[in-house]
Amino acid sequence: MKILVAVKRVADPDNANRIKVSSGGDAIDASGLEWKINPFDEYALEAALRLTENGASPKKREGEVVVVTMAPKEAETTLRSALATGADRAIRVEAGDDDLDGRVVAHALRKLVEEEKPDVVLMGKQTVDGDSNQVGQMLAELLDWPMATFAATLRQEQDGSLLVGREVDGGVLSLRVRPPCLVTVDLRIVSPEGVYSSLTDPSFKYNEGVRFAPLPAIMQAKRKPLTVRPLSELTDVALTTKYTKFELPAKRSAGVKVKDVAELVQKLTEEARVL
Amino acid sequence: MSNVLVVAELDQDGNLRKSTLSAITLARKAEGALGGGFDVLVLGANTAAAAQELTTFGAGRVLVCEDASLAHYVAEHFAPTVAEVGKGYKLVVATATTFGKDLMPRVAARLDAAYAGDCADVAAEGGKLVYKRPMFAGNAYGYCELSTAIQVATARQSEFAAAEPSGSTSPIEKVAKAAPSGAAARVEYVSLDAVTSERPQLTEANVVVAGGRALKEKFFEVIEPLADALGAAIGASRAAVDAGYAPGDYQVGQTGKIVAPSLYIAIGISGAIQHIAGMKGSKVIVAINKDPEAPIFQLADYGLVADLFTAVPELVSALRARG
């Protein structure tokens, strides 16, 4: 099975206290933020690795995992660490954030998918900077592929179909999709029983979370192929989403500390009037 | 002539989901700027009751697409019809539930439209719509404009109040189901493992009681009596969910559900950024935590520094005593 994983490098939202808006209000000032791979995309990569191996012998890749990003050269660090974790090849599409919106990314990925012909495209359900949650669904439609979004579990069946447990409001909705198909992943995909390839024994349990690259693999990753493509080769779709202003949300201020349960009930009844 | 189309969401039994009323509120705000009214589109296998209910909100028309293949929501079956009907509008909207978030970007791609997801507000500036969107886990808002001929958006339920009936009655019209796309042949609905509960839905509840990892295996033992006493929905922090103390769909936060009840009681929740992103819109926030330095106290209206295993049962008794 060949899997294409789309990843993005994002400003770490766990450092959100340091998010600032430029003085004119027309840009997010990310200068104080650290960069890291979008966590949902990191989980998509882990899911791709689990789908292309027997969980008991993860060093042997059954198939190919290609990782792609659209970003400036600095993001090659992100691609190299994906290669070190187990991906076989990487593609960087040369583009700055200002060249991209969800629709442009979806169209560029469509062209790459048509060239690469993967069986499955995997990506995070959303990036934690823009929080848009749109590229996977748009790409699936452009390709006329079936999709399963917000995946918490993935089972590869003997005929190659994927049984996907989707996290939806009020429960888990299961879909069966036949490749070529697209899956976007939610947090719980990296739980011990999140993903099973058809080679992995159903009783096998992964470690919680994503795998880390051993040192020799980090060295080896430097020799794995990484190609660079200009965005213009993949799409000529124009930008159609324009952010004109940013602002920080109103800060909620701390209220009062109550001394005991009786005072709490009294405040909620008489002051807040919510009981 | 209507220029906004609202896509309604039904539950498994064909009942209208209340979340739809938030998308109607967005449509009412946008319709004026676009110079017209709004229509509602209902898709399903059993739509009669929901369609009837939807006639009371001031829509120009309630459009109904009823077909056995629409019994369960699957994007590949719904998107072609939504896009076919949507072609006649300037803006196509739904509420940003997992239904809306799954379906609407797919519809947007089919319409060659740009998409503004999970909007907190929409306003008209110079005849153009400006969408206000939470970004960076709710730590910033961005205002964006879309420049495609048709635009697609979803409304964050906690930011758009449920629409009230308008006093008028909309006509119901049938629309044909569009031919399915090739993708539909390769996807099959298997099951919905629904969490059944007598409690109100987390995203629609007036009161939410949420627990953190500190509750350990006693999560339900401690939280349930309090939720019962308040008629509240139960939520959980990601830490409590990851540790297995509460199921995944209880999670409140950036990656879980976004809630904005009148009263939010956080029990043993420290207040990680990603949790706060999911509940800071609540009107009144109460925090009970034994760590006085917990970040949750920085935004709680009422904080009680106490051992939750004694304070919560005490609170339950006090509430019961009030009757």
Side-chain angles (χ1 to χ4, degrees):
Chain A
M1 169 149 36
K2 179 172 175 178
I3 302 182
L4 187 77
V5 185
V7 304
K8 187 184 183 191
R9 183 192 68 145
V10 297
D12 185 351
D14 288 341
N15 286 331
N17 287 333
R18 288 193 275 155
I19 281 188
K20 288 180 291 225
V21 170
S22 66
S23 55
D26 57 349
I28 290 280
D29 176 3
S31 57
L33 300 173
E34 286 162 27
W35 295 96
K36 68 170 188 184
I37 183 172
N38 176 44
F40 292 106
D41 297 341
E42 187 178 26
Y43 294 177
L45 173 62
E46 173 66 25
L49 296 173
R50 291 185 185 186
L51 271 182
T52 50
E53 70 190 13
N54 176 339
S57 50
K59 280 186 184 159
K60 188 163 185 296
R61 195 108 334 266
E62 306 283 348
E64 189 184 19
V65 175
V66 181
V67 57
V68 56
T69 195
M70 298 185 191
K73 188 164 174 53
E74 299 88 271
E76 287 187 7
T77 326
T78 303
L79 293 178
R80 289 287 172 204
S81 54
L83 292 170
T85 350
D88 300 285
R89 264 189 315 122
I91 301 168
R92 179 174 69 83
V93 177
E94 174 61 46
D97 271 356
D98 294 344
D99 305 321
L100 303 170
D101 61 20
R103 192 162 148 272
V104 171
V105 172
H107 278 271
L109 283 174
R110 167 169 65 172
K111 176 75 173 157
L112 271 182
V113 169
E114 284 166 358
E115 289 177 10
E116 291 283 336
K117 300 188 172 54
D119 302 293
V120 177
V121 173
L122 275 170
M123 66 180 80
K125 69 167 182 177
Q126 69 194 67
T127 59
V128 296
D129 51 1
D131 281 332
S132 284
N133 192 337
Q134 62 177 341
V135 169
Q137 295 90 317
M138 286 181 166
L139 176 59
E141 178 60 37
L142 294 176
L143 292 164
D144 196 13
W145 281 14
M147 67 180 186
T149 57
F150 325 146
T153 57
L154 268 173
R155 300 277 177 281
Q156 185 188 24
E157 301 181 319
Q158 291 305 329
D159 69 353
S161 297
L162 296 179
L163 182 63
V164 187
R166 305 180 51 230
E167 293 215 10
V168 299
D169 301 327
V172 175
L173 193 154
S174 296
L175 290 179
R176 181 174 286 113
V177 283
R178 273 210 323 273
C181 59
L182 181 143
V183 178
T184 76
V185 305
D186 213 322
L187 291 176
R188 269 170 281 279
I189 198 74
V190 295
S191 66
E193 296 167 73
V195 182
Y196 288 89
S197 77
S198 57
L199 298 167
T200 302
D201 191 281
S203 65
F204 181 82
K205 291 201 178 28
Y206 277 93
N207 289 327
E208 174 77 39
V210 299
R211 66 195 66 191
F212 293 99
L215 194 58
I218 295 172
M219 303 307 291
Q220 224 178 357
K222 291 181 180 157
R223 294 192 298 272
K224 287 188 177 176
L226 189 163
T227 48
V228 181
R229 300 285 302 274
L231 179 64
S232 58
E233 245 177 57
L234 302 174
T235 182
D236 57 3
V237 165
L239 290 170
T240 49
T241 301
K242 186 176 178 220
Y243 281 86
T244 51
K245 189 173 79 166
F246 295 92
E247 67 187 24
L248 299 179
K251 256 205 152 38
R252 239 191 131 101
S253 51
V256 296
K257 291 253 173 67
V258 293
K259 65 177 189 303
D260 54 22
V261 166
E263 189 188 351
L264 176 63
V265 173
Q266 184 232 329
K267 292 271 192 197
L268 289 177
T269 313
E270 291 166 19
E271 195 175 274
R273 296 167 186 264
V274 285
L275 290 182
Chain B
M1 180 64 193
S2 297
N3 47 40
V4 184
L5 180 68
V6 175
V7 184
E9 177 178 359
L10 309 187
D11 69 14
Q12 290 288 100
D13 305 317
N15 302 308
L16 181 69
R17 286 199 59 184
K18 192 187 160 205
S19 55
T20 304
L21 305 184
S22 293
I24 290 179
T25 300
L26 188 156
R28 284 180 176 173
K29 285 187 101 163
E31 64 180 5
L34 298 172
F38 73 95
D39 293 343
V40 181
L41 172 63
V42 197
L43 304 97
N46 173 23
T47 56
Q52 201 57 48
E53 193 177 343
L54 283 163
T55 58
T56 59
F57 294 97
R61 296 176 299 168
V62 174
L63 306 170
V64 174
C65 179
E66 188 159 304
D67 191 278
S69 68
L70 302 173
H72 301 290
Y73 165 68
V74 175
E76 290 77 358
H77 285 282
F78 276 52
T81 303
V82 175
E84 188 57 37
V85 175
K87 269 181 193 167
Y89 297 82
K90 291 178 184 161
L91 174 65
V92 185
V93 298
T95 299
T97 56
T98 49
F99 163 85
K101 291 190 213 178
D102 185 63
L103 175 65
M104 298 308 271
R106 188 151 192 145
V107 167
R110 219 175 156 84
L111 290 167
D112 200 20
Y115 171 74
D118 209 16
C119 295
D121 201 5
V122 60
E125 282 175 24
K128 280 187 182 167
L129 291 176
V130 178
Y131 304 89
K132 178 185 180 187
R133 298 190 53 250
M135 305 171 82
F136 290 94
N139 288 290
Y141 285 108
Y143 292 81
C144 71
E145 294 174 12
L146 309 179
S147 54
T148 47
I150 303 174
Q151 306 180 0
V152 177
T154 51
R156 178 174 277 208
Q157 189 178 354
S158 60
E159 302 279 353
F160 288 90
E164 298 286 340
S166 66
S168 62
T169 306
S170 320
I172 296 179
E173 281 179 30
K174 286 195 169 158
V175 294
K177 182 177 182 280
S181 62
R186 300 209 308 278
V187 58
E188 176 197 341
Y189 170 91
V190 178
S191 62
L192 175 65
D193 188 2
V195 180
T196 51
S197 170
E198 298 298 307
R199 297 183 195 288
Q201 285 226 9
L202 191 47
T203 50
E204 291 169 6
N206 201 32
V207 181
V208 172
V209 177
R213 187 164 48 188
L215 288 154
K216 301 222 165 78
E217 283 78 10
K218 294 196 169 163
F219 187 95
F220 285 99
E221 193 183 314
V222 174
I223 295 291
E224 274 193 321
L226 181 57
D228 288 341
L230 292 164
I234 298 181
S237 70
R238 182 177 162 195
V241 170
D242 283 353
Y245 305 141
D249 63 316
Y250 280 44
Q251 187 174 317
V252 171
Q254 182 202 12
T255 54
K257 300 206 166 67
I258 310 290
V259 302
S262 302
L263 174 60
Y264 188 91
I265 306 185
I267 314 274
I269 289 178
S270 64
I273 283 171
Q274 86 89 24
H275 182 77
I276 288 171
M279 46 66 83
K280 66 182 175 187
S282 307
K283 286 194 190 69
V284 175
I285 296 174
V286 172
I288 303 178
N289 201 306
K290 76 177 173 196
D291 173 11
E293 303 300 320
I296 190 85
F297 287 124
Q298 289 167 21
L299 76 159
D301 299 285
Y302 301 103
L304 174 59
V305 180
D307 177 45
L308 58 93
F309 294 104
T310 52
V312 175
E314 231 182 279
L315 179 56
V316 173
S317 308
L319 291 169
R320 283 189 187 142
R322 297 169 64 251

